Amino acid sequence: VFITDLQGKAIISRNYRGDVPLTKAIEQFAKYLSEVEDDERKPIFHVDTNSDISVGEDVGGAGPGGEHFVYVAHQNVYLCAVTTKNSNAALILAFLYRLAQVFKDYFGSLEEESIRDNFVVIYELLDETMDHGMPQSLDSSILRSFITQDANRMAEDSKSKPPVALTNAVSWRAEGIKHKKNE
């Protein structure tokens, strides 16, 4: 996952599995932004092993090898995910949109300047929202319970165990609800 400006210059990146060299991926994404016209850009494209870009109907039949790029544009930045596996593109798009919403909840707006001002918090959020390439909790209220902006570390009493809200099956249920009768 990486975030770039409108020209494709990397602002921040996080490599979860190590199977995609991020510098090469960022260069290919910048090449895509410069070579493909605005009206022809699609949120999903494939770059094969020869660095040829496939867009539109050609993406599904791209064959083995290369990387699939999935990206969303938000104000003056792009959030992009890269995969070499046969991944669920809808899941990746949903993850990127929810990640943008989490950043907006934390920083007020998702812009290049807010990203540069909050590097440490963004890395913590990226680490908590995805684990080895699989999306995890993307609920801002749950993330706020163990990622603080001031100290950028967990609270003293919760270091030994994860927050209860993270391990609950339902994220919308408040903690500590007690009923006299359970009918």
Side-chain angles (χ1 to χ4, degrees), residues 3 10-12 76-77 103 106-125 148-152:
I3 302 173
I11 301 172
I12 192 168
N76 64 350
V77 296
F103 290 160
Y106 263 80
F107 313 127
S109 67
L110 178 57
E111 298 175 356
E112 187 175 349
E113 185 178 340
S114 64
I115 293 169
R116 293 188 191 281
D117 291 344
N118 296 294
F119 264 87
V120 174
V121 177
I122 289 177
Y123 275 118
E124 286 186 33
L125 287 169
T148 60
Q149 282 187 322
D150 296 339
N152 295 327

Side-chain angles (χ1 to χ4, degrees), residues 18 40-41 48-49 63-64 70 74 93 108 130 137 139 179:
E40 294 180 11
R41 289 185 189 157
D48 64 14
T49 54
V70 181
H74 193 281
L93 278 171
M130 189 174 282
S137 177
D139 189 354
H179 299 282

Side-chain angles (χ1 to χ4, degrees), residues 43-88:
I44 303 167
F45 66 95
H46 180 267
V47 177
D48 64 14
T49 54
N50 298 328
S51 296
D52 293 331
I53 297 172
S54 302
V55 183
E57 292 84 27
D58 299 336
V59 173
E67 293 93 22
H68 292 281
F69 289 75
V70 181
Y71 73 95
V72 296
H74 193 281
Q75 292 185 349
N76 64 350
V77 296
Y78 289 108
L79 284 81
C80 185
V82 184
T83 180
T84 58
K85 306 200 180 302
N86 186 13
S87 301
N88 184 346

Side-chain angles (χ1 to χ4, degrees), residues 8-10 12 17 36 42 50 56-57 80 92 98 110 124 130 132 138 142 149 151 165 177-178 180:
K9 183 179 173 192
I12 192 168
R17 291 186 180 168
V36 178
K42 308 286 186 213
N50 298 328
E57 292 84 27
C80 185
I92 297 171
R98 284 292 296 142
L110 178 57
E124 286 186 33
M130 189 174 282
H132 194 65
L138 284 162
I142 292 175
Q149 282 187 322
I177 297 175
K178 306 248 189 280
K180 289 183 181 179

Side-chain angles (χ1 to χ4, degrees), residues 118-177:
N118 296 294
F119 264 87
V120 174
V121 177
I122 289 177
Y123 275 118
E124 286 186 33
L125 287 169
L126 289 172
D127 287 340
E128 294 299 331
T129 56
M130 189 174 282
D131 184 27
H132 194 65
M134 294 302 297
Q136 300 296 315
S137 177
L138 284 162
D139 189 354
S140 296
S141 60
I142 292 175
L143 291 169
R144 284 188 189 281
S145 67
F146 57 95
I147 295 179
T148 60
Q149 282 187 322
D150 296 339
N152 295 327
R153 58 189 135 135
M154 293 177 65
E156 292 295 324
D157 58 342
S158 63
K159 280 188 179 177
S160 60
K161 59 183 179 175
V164 177
L166 187 61
T167 59
N168 278 351
V170 288
S171 63
W172 47 264
R173 185 173 179 166
E175 292 182 44
I177 297 175

